[in-house]
Amino acid sequence: LSDYEVYQFIQKEKSKIRHQDYLTLVHELNEFSKRQHASLQTPEHIQQFLTKFQKYPLTKLEKLMILNQRPTNLVELAVMIEEQGERFDTAQLEAMLSDL
């Protein structure tokens, strides 16, 4: 699941939870999600991301990490892609950043 999907689930289900331990967990997850990109995303944003990133040979996990974390520089992006130095050159990585 993407952070966006977790955030949407929490928003939908939080009124149904009654047990204090779960309420605390939901509260903490909600606060965390608000500080992440998930609270700003929409289904359209996710679809646009997936469309733009089809052209890159990334694994599903790599795409999910990039979607959730939204790297802003090459170093942040590079740590999300396994063997990135062998798979992509700097121009391709910069193109990915610009597609975000």
Side-chain angles (χ1 to χ4, degrees), residues 4-87:
Y4 170 78
E5 292 166 313
V6 172
Y7 180 74
Q8 292 301 309
F9 177 79
I10 291 168
Q11 297 304 309
K12 188 172 98 176
E13 299 295 319
K14 68 182 177 182
S15 65
K16 299 176 187 176
I17 298 172
R18 300 288 180 245
H19 193 274
Q20 185 58 42
D21 290 343
Y22 291 119
L23 285 171
T24 301
L25 176 63
V26 166
H27 173 74
E28 293 297 323
L29 279 170
N30 193 38
E31 290 302 309
F32 172 79
S33 295
K34 285 180 183 177
R35 294 187 304 269
Q36 303 301 312
H37 297 284
S39 64
L40 305 173
Q41 290 178 337
T42 65
E44 292 78 24
H45 288 129
I46 294 171
Q47 188 58 49
Q48 288 173 354
F49 169 85
L50 293 173
T51 300
K52 287 180 181 179
F53 275 74
Q54 279 181 339
K55 61 187 168 194
Y56 304 111
L58 296 164
T59 66
K60 288 180 184 180
L61 181 57
E62 290 167 341
K63 288 179 185 176
L64 185 61
M65 286 190 293
I66 294 168
L67 174 67
N68 286 339
Q69 298 301 314
R70 294 293 181 158
T72 57
N73 59 56
L74 289 176
V75 174
E76 291 175 355
L77 178 61
V79 298
M80 295 178 195
I81 302 173
E82 191 168 328
E83 299 176 349
Q84 58 83 24
E86 297 171 17
R87 294 170 53 201

Coordinates of all heavy atoms in Angstrom, one line a residue, residues 4-87:
Y4 N -0.5 7.1 0.7 CA -1.8 7.7 0.4 C -2.9 6.8 0.8 O -3.9 7.2 1.4 CB -1.8 8.1 -1.0 CG -3.2 8.5 -1.5 CD1 -3.7 9.8 -1.2 CD2 -4.1 7.7 -2.2 CE1 -5.0 10.2 -1.5 CE2 -5.3 8.1 -2.6 CZ -5.8 9.3 -2.2 OH -7.1 9.7 -2.6
E5 N -2.8 5.5 0.4 CA -3.8 4.5 0.6 C -4.0 4.3 2.1 O -5.1 4.2 2.6 CB -3.5 3.2 -0.1 CG -3.6 3.3 -1.6 CD -3.0 2.2 -2.3 OE1 -1.9 1.8 -1.9 OE2 -3.6 1.6 -3.2
V6 N -2.9 4.3 2.9 CA -3.0 4.1 4.3 C -3.7 5.3 4.9 O -4.6 5.2 5.8 CB -1.6 3.9 4.9 CG1 -1.6 3.9 6.5 CG2 -1.0 2.6 4.4
Y7 N -3.3 6.5 4.5 CA -3.9 7.7 5.0 C -5.4 7.8 4.7 O -6.2 8.1 5.6 CB -3.2 8.9 4.3 CG -3.7 10.3 4.8 CD1 -3.5 10.8 6.0 CD2 -4.5 11.0 3.9 CE1 -4.0 12.0 6.4 CE2 -5.0 12.3 4.3 CZ -4.7 12.8 5.6 OH -5.2 14.0 6.0
Q8 N -5.8 7.4 3.5 CA -7.2 7.4 3.2 C -8.0 6.4 4.1 O -9.1 6.6 4.5 CB -7.4 7.1 1.7 CG -7.0 8.2 0.8 CD -7.7 9.5 1.1 OE1 -8.9 9.5 1.2 NE2 -6.9 10.5 1.3
F9 N -7.4 5.2 4.3 CA -8.0 4.2 5.1 C -8.2 4.7 6.6 O -9.3 4.6 7.2 CB -7.2 2.9 5.1 CG -7.7 1.9 6.0 CD1 -8.8 1.1 5.6 CD2 -7.2 1.6 7.3 CE1 -9.3 0.1 6.5 CE2 -7.7 0.7 8.1 CZ -8.7 -0.1 7.7
I10 N -7.2 5.3 7.1 CA -7.2 5.9 8.5 C -8.4 6.9 8.5 O -9.1 6.9 9.5 CB -5.9 6.5 8.9 CG1 -4.9 5.4 9.1 CG2 -6.0 7.3 10.1 CD1 -3.5 5.9 9.2
Q11 N -8.4 7.8 7.6 CA -9.4 8.9 7.6 C -10.9 8.3 7.6 O -11.8 8.7 8.2 CB -9.3 9.8 6.4 CG -8.0 10.6 6.4 CD -7.8 11.4 7.7 OE1 -8.7 12.1 8.1 NE2 -6.6 11.2 8.3
K12 N -11.0 7.2 6.8 CA -12.3 6.5 6.7 C -12.7 5.7 7.9 O -13.9 5.7 8.3 CB -12.3 5.6 5.4 CG -13.7 5.1 5.1 CD -13.6 4.3 3.8 CE -13.4 2.9 4.0 NZ -13.4 2.0 2.8
E13 N -11.8 5.1 8.5 CA -12.0 4.1 9.6 C -11.9 4.7 11.0 O -12.4 4.0 12.0 CB -11.1 2.9 9.5 CG -11.3 2.1 8.2 CD -12.7 1.5 8.0 OE1 -13.2 1.0 9.0 OE2 -13.2 1.6 6.9
K14 N -11.3 5.8 11.2 CA -11.0 6.3 12.5 C -12.2 6.5 13.4 O -12.2 6.3 14.6 CB -10.1 7.5 12.5 CG -10.8 8.8 12.0 CD -9.7 9.9 12.0 CE -10.3 11.1 11.4 NZ -9.3 12.2 11.3
S15 N -13.4 6.8 12.8 CA -14.6 7.0 13.6 C -15.2 5.7 14.1 O -16.0 5.7 15.1 CB -15.6 7.8 12.8 OG -16.0 7.0 11.7
K16 N -14.8 4.6 13.5 CA -15.3 3.3 13.9 C -14.5 2.6 15.1 O -15.0 1.6 15.6 CB -15.3 2.3 12.7 CG -16.2 2.8 11.6 CD -16.0 1.9 10.4 CE -16.7 2.4 9.2 NZ -16.5 1.5 8.0
I17 N -13.4 3.1 15.4 CA -12.5 2.5 16.4 C -12.8 3.0 17.8 O -13.0 4.2 18.0 CB -11.0 2.8 16.0 CG1 -10.7 2.2 14.6 CG2 -10.1 2.2 17.1 CD1 -9.4 2.6 14.1
R18 N -13.0 2.0 18.7 CA -13.4 2.3 20.0 C -12.3 2.0 21.1 O -12.3 2.6 22.1 CB -14.7 1.6 20.4 CG -15.8 2.0 19.5 CD -16.3 3.4 19.8 NE -17.4 3.7 18.9 CZ -17.4 4.7 18.0 NH1 -16.3 5.4 17.8 NH2 -18.4 4.9 17.3
H19 N -11.5 1.0 20.9 CA -10.5 0.6 21.8 C -9.4 1.6 21.9 O -8.9 2.1 20.9 CB -9.9 -0.8 21.4 CG -9.1 -1.4 22.5 ND1 -7.8 -1.2 22.7 CD2 -9.5 -2.3 23.5 CE1 -7.4 -1.9 23.7 NE2 -8.4 -2.6 24.2
Q20 N -9.0 2.0 23.2 CA -8.0 3.1 23.4 C -6.7 2.8 22.7 O -6.1 3.7 22.1 CB -7.8 3.3 24.9 CG -6.9 4.5 25.2 CD -7.4 5.8 24.6 OE1 -8.6 6.1 24.6 NE2 -6.5 6.6 24.0
D21 N -6.2 1.6 22.8 CA -4.9 1.3 22.1 C -4.9 1.6 20.6 O -4.0 2.1 20.0 CB -4.5 -0.2 22.4 CG -4.1 -0.4 23.8 OD1 -3.8 0.6 24.6 OD2 -4.1 -1.6 24.2
Y22 N -6.0 1.2 20.0 CA -6.2 1.4 18.6 C -6.4 2.9 18.3 O -5.9 3.4 17.2 CB -7.3 0.6 18.0 CG -7.0 -0.9 18.0 CD1 -7.8 -1.8 18.7 CD2 -5.9 -1.4 17.3 CE1 -7.5 -3.2 18.7 CE2 -5.7 -2.8 17.3 CZ -6.5 -3.6 18.0 OH -6.2 -5.0 18.0
L23 N -7.1 3.6 19.1 CA -7.2 5.0 18.9 C -5.9 5.7 19.0 O -5.7 6.6 18.2 CB -8.2 5.6 20.0 CG -9.7 5.3 19.8 CD1 -10.4 5.7 21.1 CD2 -10.2 5.9 18.6
T24 N -5.0 5.3 19.9 CA -3.7 5.9 20.0 C -2.9 5.6 18.7 O -2.3 6.5 18.1 CB -3.0 5.4 21.2 OG1 -3.7 5.7 22.4 CG2 -1.6 6.0 21.3
L25 N -3.0 4.4 18.3 CA -2.2 4.0 17.1 C -2.8 4.8 15.8 O -2.0 5.4 15.1 CB -2.4 2.5 16.8 CG -1.8 2.0 15.5 CD1 -0.3 2.2 15.5 CD2 -2.1 0.5 15.3
V26 N -4.0 4.9 15.7 CA -4.6 5.6 14.6 C -4.3 7.1 14.7 O -3.9 7.7 13.6 CB -6.2 5.4 14.6 CG1 -6.8 6.4 13.6 CG2 -6.5 4.0 14.2
H27 N -4.3 7.7 15.9 CA -3.9 9.1 16.0 C -2.5 9.3 15.6 O -2.2 10.2 14.8 CB -4.1 9.5 17.5 CG -3.6 10.9 17.7 ND1 -4.2 12.0 17.3 CD2 -2.5 11.3 18.4 CE1 -3.5 13.1 17.7 NE2 -2.5 12.7 18.3
E28 N -1.6 8.4 16.0 CA -0.2 8.6 15.7 C 0.1 8.4 14.2 O 0.8 9.1 13.5 CB 0.7 7.5 16.4 CG 0.8 7.8 17.9 CD 1.4 9.1 18.3 OE1 2.4 9.5 17.6 OE2 1.0 9.8 19.2
L29 N -0.6 7.4 13.6 CA -0.5 7.2 12.1 C -1.1 8.4 11.4 O -0.5 8.8 10.3 CB -1.3 6.0 11.7 CG -0.6 4.6 11.9 CD1 -1.5 3.5 11.6 CD2 0.6 4.5 10.9
N30 N -2.1 9.0 11.8 CA -2.7 10.1 11.2 C -1.8 11.3 11.3 O -1.6 12.0 10.3 CB -4.1 10.4 11.9 CG -4.9 11.4 11.1 OD1 -4.9 11.4 9.9 ND2 -5.6 12.3 11.8
E31 N -1.2 11.5 12.4 CA -0.3 12.7 12.6 C 1.0 12.5 11.7 O 1.4 13.4 11.1 CB 0.1 12.8 14.0 CG -1.0 13.3 14.9 CD -1.5 14.7 14.5 OE1 -0.8 15.6 14.2 OE2 -2.8 14.7 14.3
F32 N 1.5 11.3 11.6 CA 2.6 11.0 10.7 C 2.2 11.2 9.3 O 3.0 11.9 8.6 CB 3.0 9.5 10.9 CG 4.1 9.1 9.9 CD1 5.4 9.4 10.1 CD2 3.7 8.3 8.8 CE1 6.4 9.0 9.2 CE2 4.7 7.9 7.9 CZ 6.0 8.3 8.1
S33 N 1.1 10.7 8.9 CA 0.6 10.9 7.5 C 0.5 12.4 7.1 O 0.7 12.7 6.0 CB -0.7 10.1 7.3 OG -0.5 8.8 7.4
K34 N 0.0 13.2 8.0 CA -0.2 14.6 7.7 C 1.2 15.3 7.4 O 1.2 16.2 6.7 CB -0.8 15.3 8.9 CG -2.3 15.0 9.0 CD -2.9 15.7 10.2 CE -4.3 15.4 10.4 NZ -4.9 16.1 11.6
R35 N 2.3 14.7 8.0 CA 3.6 15.3 7.7 C 4.2 14.8 6.5 O 5.3 15.2 6.1 CB 4.5 15.1 8.9 CG 4.0 15.8 10.2 CD 5.1 15.6 11.3 NE 5.4 14.3 11.7 CZ 4.8 13.5 12.6 NH1 3.8 14.0 13.3 NH2 5.2 12.3 12.9
Q36 N 3.6 13.8 5.9 CA 4.2 13.2 4.7 C 3.4 13.7 3.4 O 2.4 14.4 3.5 CB 4.0 11.7 4.7 CG 4.7 11.0 6.0 CD 6.1 11.3 6.1 OE1 6.9 11.2 5.1 NE2 6.6 11.8 7.2
H37 N 3.9 13.3 2.3 CA 3.2 13.7 1.0 C 1.9 13.1 0.9 O 1.0 13.6 0.1 CB 4.1 13.3 -0.2 CG 5.4 14.0 -0.2 ND1 5.6 15.3 -0.5 CD2 6.7 13.6 0.2 CE1 6.8 15.7 -0.4 NE2 7.5 14.6 0.0
A38 N 1.6 12.0 1.6 CA 0.3 11.3 1.4 C -0.9 12.2 1.6 O -1.9 12.0 0.9 CB 0.3 10.1 2.4
S39 N -0.8 13.1 2.6 CA -2.0 13.9 2.9 C -2.3 14.9 1.7 O -3.3 15.5 1.7 CB -1.8 14.7 4.2 OG -0.7 15.6 4.1
L40 N -1.3 15.1 0.9 CA -1.5 16.1 -0.3 C -1.8 15.4 -1.6 O -2.2 16.0 -2.5 CB -0.2 16.9 -0.4 CG 0.3 17.6 0.8 CD1 1.7 18.3 0.5 CD2 -0.7 18.7 1.2
Q41 N -1.6 14.1 -1.6 CA -1.8 13.3 -2.9 C -3.3 13.1 -3.1 O -4.1 13.1 -2.2 CB -1.1 12.0 -2.8 CG 0.4 12.2 -2.9 CD 1.1 10.8 -2.8 OE1 0.6 9.9 -2.3 NE2 2.3 10.8 -3.3
T42 N -3.6 12.9 -4.4 CA -4.9 12.5 -4.8 C -4.8 11.3 -5.7 O -3.7 11.0 -6.2 CB -5.6 13.6 -5.6 OG1 -4.9 13.8 -6.8 CG2 -5.7 14.9 -4.8
P43 N -5.9 10.6 -6.0 CA -5.8 9.5 -7.0 C -5.2 9.9 -8.3 O -4.5 9.2 -9.0 CB -7.2 9.0 -7.1 CG -7.8 9.3 -5.8 CD -7.2 10.6 -5.4
E44 N -5.5 11.2 -8.7 CA -5.0 11.7 -10.0 C -3.5 11.9 -9.9 O -2.8 11.6 -10.9 CB -5.7 13.0 -10.3 CG -7.2 12.9 -10.6 CD -8.0 12.8 -9.4 OE1 -7.6 13.2 -8.3 OE2 -9.1 12.2 -9.6
H45 N -3.0 12.3 -8.8 CA -1.5 12.5 -8.6 C -0.8 11.1 -8.8 O 0.2 11.0 -9.5 CB -1.1 13.0 -7.3 CG -1.5 14.5 -7.1 ND1 -2.2 15.0 -6.0 CD2 -1.1 15.5 -7.9 CE1 -2.3 16.2 -6.1 NE2 -1.7 16.6 -7.3
I46 N -1.4 10.1 -8.2 CA -0.8 8.8 -8.2 C -0.9 8.2 -9.7 O 0.1 7.7 -10.2 CB -1.5 7.8 -7.2 CG1 -1.2 8.3 -5.8 CG2 -1.1 6.4 -7.4 CD1 -2.0 7.6 -4.7
Q47 N -2.0 8.4 -10.3 CA -2.1 8.0 -11.7 C -1.1 8.7 -12.6 O -0.5 8.1 -13.5 CB -3.5 8.2 -12.2 CG -3.7 7.5 -13.6 CD -3.4 6.0 -13.6 OE1 -3.9 5.3 -12.8 NE2 -2.7 5.6 -14.6
Q48 N -0.9 10.0 -12.4 CA 0.0 10.7 -13.2 C 1.5 10.2 -13.0 O 2.3 10.1 -13.9 CB 0.0 12.2 -12.9 CG -1.2 12.9 -13.4 CD -1.4 14.3 -12.9 OE1 -0.6 14.8 -12.1 NE2 -2.3 15.1 -13.4
F49 N 1.8 10.0 -11.7 CA 3.1 9.4 -11.4 C 3.3 8.1 -12.1 O 4.4 7.9 -12.7 CB 3.2 9.2 -9.8 CG 4.4 8.4 -9.4 CD1 5.6 9.1 -9.3 CD2 4.3 7.1 -9.2 CE1 6.7 8.3 -8.9 CE2 5.4 6.3 -8.8 CZ 6.6 7.0 -8.7
L50 N 2.3 7.2 -12.0 CA 2.5 5.9 -12.6 C 2.6 6.0 -14.1 O 3.4 5.2 -14.7 CB 1.3 5.0 -12.2 CG 1.2 4.6 -10.7 CD1 -0.1 3.8 -10.4 CD2 2.4 3.8 -10.3
T51 N 1.9 6.9 -14.7 CA 2.0 7.1 -16.2 C 3.4 7.6 -16.6 O 4.0 7.0 -17.5 CB 0.9 8.0 -16.6 OG1 -0.4 7.5 -16.3 CG2 1.0 8.3 -18.1
K52 N 3.9 8.6 -15.8 CA 5.2 9.1 -16.1 C 6.3 8.1 -15.9 O 7.3 8.1 -16.6 CB 5.5 10.4 -15.3 CG 4.7 11.6 -15.7 CD 5.0 12.8 -14.8 CE 4.2 14.0 -15.2 NZ 4.5 15.1 -14.3
F53 N 6.2 7.3 -14.9 CA 7.3 6.4 -14.5 C 7.2 5.0 -15.2 O 8.0 4.2 -15.0 CB 7.3 6.3 -13.0 CG 8.1 7.4 -12.4 CD1 7.6 8.7 -12.3 CD2 9.4 7.2 -11.9 CE1 8.3 9.7 -11.7 CE2 10.2 8.2 -11.4 CZ 9.6 9.5 -11.3
Q54 N 6.2 4.8 -16.1 CA 6.2 3.6 -16.9 C 7.4 3.4 -17.7 O 7.8 2.3 -18.0 CB 4.9 3.6 -17.8 CG 3.7 3.1 -17.1 CD 2.5 3.1 -18.1 OE1 2.6 3.8 -19.1 NE2 1.5 2.4 -17.7
K55 N 8.0 4.5 -18.2 CA 9.1 4.5 -19.1 C 10.4 4.1 -18.4 O 11.4 3.8 -19.1 CB 9.3 5.8 -19.8 CG 9.6 7.0 -18.9 CD 9.5 8.3 -19.6 CE 9.5 9.5 -18.7 NZ 9.2 10.7 -19.3
Y56 N 10.4 4.0 -17.1 CA 11.7 3.7 -16.4 C 11.6 2.2 -15.9 O 10.5 1.8 -15.3 CB 11.9 4.6 -15.2 CG 11.9 6.0 -15.6 CD1 10.9 6.9 -15.2 CD2 13.0 6.5 -16.3 CE1 11.0 8.3 -15.5 CE2 13.0 7.9 -16.6 CZ 12.0 8.7 -16.2 OH 12.1 10.1 -16.6
P57 N 12.6 1.4 -16.1 CA 12.6 0.0 -15.6 C 12.8 -0.1 -14.1 O 13.9 -0.5 -13.7 CB 13.7 -0.6 -16.5 CG 14.6 0.5 -16.7 CD 13.8 1.7 -16.9
L58 N 11.8 0.3 -13.4 CA 11.9 0.3 -11.9 C 11.0 -0.9 -11.4 O 10.0 -1.2 -12.0 CB 11.4 1.6 -11.3 CG 12.2 2.8 -11.6 CD1 11.4 4.1 -11.3 CD2 13.5 2.8 -10.9
T59 N 11.4 -1.4 -10.3 CA 10.6 -2.4 -9.6 C 9.4 -1.7 -9.0 O 9.4 -0.5 -8.8 CB 11.4 -3.2 -8.6 OG1 11.7 -2.3 -7.5 CG2 12.6 -3.8 -9.1
K60 N 8.4 -2.5 -8.6 CA 7.2 -2.0 -8.0 C 7.6 -1.3 -6.6 O 7.1 -0.3 -6.3 CB 6.2 -3.1 -7.7 CG 5.5 -3.5 -9.0 CD 4.5 -4.6 -8.7 CE 3.8 -5.2 -9.9 NZ 2.9 -6.2 -9.7
L61 N 8.5 -2.0 -5.9 CA 9.0 -1.4 -4.6 C 9.7 -0.1 -4.8 O 9.5 0.8 -4.1 CB 9.9 -2.4 -3.9 CG 10.4 -2.0 -2.6 CD1 9.2 -1.7 -1.6 CD2 11.3 -3.1 -2.0
E62 N 10.5 0.0 -5.8 CA 11.2 1.2 -6.1 C 10.2 2.4 -6.4 O 10.3 3.5 -5.9 CB 12.2 1.1 -7.2 CG 13.4 0.2 -6.9 CD 14.3 -0.3 -8.0 OE1 13.8 -0.3 -9.2 OE2 15.4 -0.6 -7.8
K63 N 9.2 2.1 -7.3 CA 8.2 3.1 -7.6 C 7.5 3.5 -6.3 O 7.2 4.7 -6.2 CB 7.3 2.5 -8.6 CG 7.9 2.4 -10.0 CD 6.9 1.9 -11.0 CE 7.5 1.6 -12.4 NZ 6.6 1.0 -13.3
L64 N 7.1 2.5 -5.5 CA 6.4 2.8 -4.3 C 7.2 3.7 -3.4 O 6.7 4.7 -2.8 CB 6.0 1.5 -3.6 CG 5.1 1.7 -2.3 CD1 3.8 2.3 -2.7 CD2 4.9 0.3 -1.7
M65 N 8.5 3.4 -3.2 CA 9.3 4.3 -2.4 C 9.4 5.7 -2.9 O 9.4 6.7 -2.2 CB 10.7 3.7 -2.2 CG 10.8 2.5 -1.3 SD 12.4 1.9 -0.9 CE 13.0 1.3 -2.5
I66 N 9.6 5.8 -4.2 CA 9.7 7.1 -4.9 C 8.4 7.9 -4.7 O 8.4 9.1 -4.4 CB 10.1 7.0 -6.3 CG1 11.5 6.5 -6.4 CG2 10.0 8.3 -7.1 CD1 11.9 6.0 -7.8
L67 N 7.3 7.2 -4.9 CA 6.0 7.8 -4.8 C 5.8 8.3 -3.3 O 5.3 9.5 -3.1 CB 4.8 6.8 -5.1 CG 3.4 7.3 -4.9 CD1 3.0 8.4 -5.8 CD2 2.4 6.1 -5.0
N68 N 6.1 7.5 -2.3 CA 5.9 7.9 -0.9 C 6.8 8.9 -0.5 O 6.4 9.8 0.3 CB 6.0 6.6 0.0 CG 4.8 5.7 -0.2 OD1 3.7 6.1 -0.6 ND2 5.0 4.5 0.2
Q69 N 8.1 8.9 -0.8 CA 9.1 9.8 -0.3 C 9.3 11.0 -1.1 O 9.8 12.0 -0.6 CB 10.4 9.0 -0.2 CG 10.4 7.9 0.8 CD 10.0 8.3 2.2 OE1 10.4 9.2 2.7 NE2 9.0 7.5 2.7
R70 N 9.0 11.0 -2.4 CA 9.2 12.2 -3.3 C 10.5 12.8 -3.1 O 10.7 13.9 -2.6 CB 8.1 13.2 -3.0 CG 6.7 12.8 -3.4 CD 6.5 12.6 -4.8 NE 5.2 12.2 -5.2 CZ 4.6 12.3 -6.3 NH1 5.3 12.9 -7.3 NH2 3.4 12.0 -6.6
P71 N 11.6 12.1 -3.6 CA 12.9 12.6 -3.4 C 13.1 13.9 -4.2 O 12.4 14.2 -5.2 CB 13.8 11.5 -4.0 CG 12.9 10.8 -5.0 CD 11.6 10.8 -4.3
T72 N 14.0 14.8 -3.6 CA 14.1 16.1 -4.2 C 15.5 16.3 -4.8 O 15.8 17.4 -5.4 CB 13.9 17.2 -3.2 OG1 14.8 17.0 -2.1 CG2 12.4 17.2 -2.7
N73 N 16.4 15.3 -4.6 CA 17.7 15.4 -5.2 C 18.3 14.0 -5.6 O 17.6 13.0 -5.2 CB 18.7 16.1 -4.2 CG 18.8 15.4 -2.9 OD1 19.2 14.2 -2.9 ND2 18.6 16.1 -1.8
L74 N 19.4 14.0 -6.3 CA 19.9 12.7 -6.8 C 20.3 11.8 -5.7 O 20.1 10.6 -5.8 CB 21.1 13.0 -7.7 CG 20.8 13.6 -9.1 CD1 22.1 13.9 -9.8 CD2 19.9 12.8 -9.9
V75 N 20.8 12.3 -4.6 CA 21.2 11.4 -3.5 C 20.0 10.7 -2.9 O 20.0 9.4 -2.7 CB 22.0 12.2 -2.4 CG1 22.3 11.3 -1.2 CG2 23.3 12.8 -3.0
E76 N 19.0 11.4 -2.7 CA 17.7 10.8 -2.1 C 17.2 9.8 -3.1 O 16.7 8.7 -2.7 CB 16.7 11.9 -1.8 CG 17.0 12.8 -0.7 CD 16.0 13.9 -0.5 OE1 15.1 14.0 -1.3 OE2 16.2 14.6 0.5
L77 N 17.2 10.1 -4.4 CA 16.6 9.2 -5.4 C 17.5 7.9 -5.5 O 17.0 6.8 -5.6 CB 16.5 9.9 -6.7 CG 16.0 9.0 -7.9 CD1 14.6 8.5 -7.6 CD2 16.1 9.8 -9.2
A78 N 18.8 8.1 -5.5 CA 19.8 7.0 -5.7 C 19.6 5.9 -4.6 O 19.7 4.7 -4.9 CB 21.2 7.5 -5.7
V79 N 19.4 6.3 -3.4 CA 19.3 5.3 -2.3 C 18.0 4.5 -2.4 O 17.9 3.4 -1.8 CB 19.4 5.9 -0.9 CG1 20.7 6.6 -0.7 CG2 18.3 6.9 -0.6
M80 N 17.0 4.9 -3.2 CA 15.8 4.2 -3.4 C 15.8 3.2 -4.6 O 14.9 2.4 -4.7 CB 14.6 5.2 -3.7 CG 14.4 6.1 -2.5 SD 13.1 7.2 -2.9 CE 13.3 8.4 -1.6
I81 N 16.9 3.2 -5.4 CA 17.0 2.4 -6.6 C 18.2 1.4 -6.4 O 19.3 1.9 -6.3 CB 17.1 3.2 -7.8 CG1 16.0 4.2 -8.0 CG2 17.3 2.3 -9.0 CD1 16.1 5.2 -9.1
E82 N 17.9 0.2 -6.4 CA 18.9 -0.8 -6.2 C 19.8 -0.8 -7.5 O 19.3 -0.8 -8.6 CB 18.3 -2.2 -6.1 CG 19.3 -3.2 -5.6 CD 18.6 -4.5 -5.2 OE1 17.5 -4.5 -4.6 OE2 19.3 -5.6 -5.4
E83 N 21.1 -0.9 -7.2 CA 22.1 -0.9 -8.3 C 21.9 0.3 -9.3 O 22.0 0.1 -10.5 CB 22.1 -2.2 -9.0 CG 22.5 -3.4 -8.1 CD 22.4 -4.7 -8.8 OE1 21.9 -4.8 -9.9 OE2 22.9 -5.7 -8.1
Q84 N 21.5 1.4 -8.8 CA 21.2 2.5 -9.7 C 22.3 2.9 -10.6 O 22.1 3.3 -11.8 CB 20.6 3.7 -8.9 CG 21.6 4.3 -7.9 CD 22.6 5.2 -8.4 OE1 22.4 5.9 -9.4 NE2 23.7 5.3 -7.7
G85 N 23.6 2.8 -10.2 CA 24.7 3.2 -11.0 C 24.9 2.3 -12.2 O 25.4 2.7 -13.2
E86 N 24.4 1.1 -12.1 CA 24.5 0.1 -13.2 C 23.3 0.2 -14.1 O 23.4 -0.1 -15.3 CB 24.7 -1.3 -12.7 CG 25.9 -1.5 -11.9 CD 26.0 -2.9 -11.2 OE1 25.2 -3.8 -11.6 OE2 26.8 -3.0 -10.2
R87 N 22.2 0.6 -13.6 CA 21.0 0.6 -14.4 C 20.6 2.0 -15.0 O 19.9 2.0 -16.0 CB 19.8 0.2 -13.4 CG 19.9 -1.2 -13.0 CD 19.0 -1.5 -11.9 NE 17.6 -1.2 -12.2 CZ 16.6 -1.1 -11.3 NH1 16.9 -1.1 -10.0 NH2 15.4 -0.8 -11.6

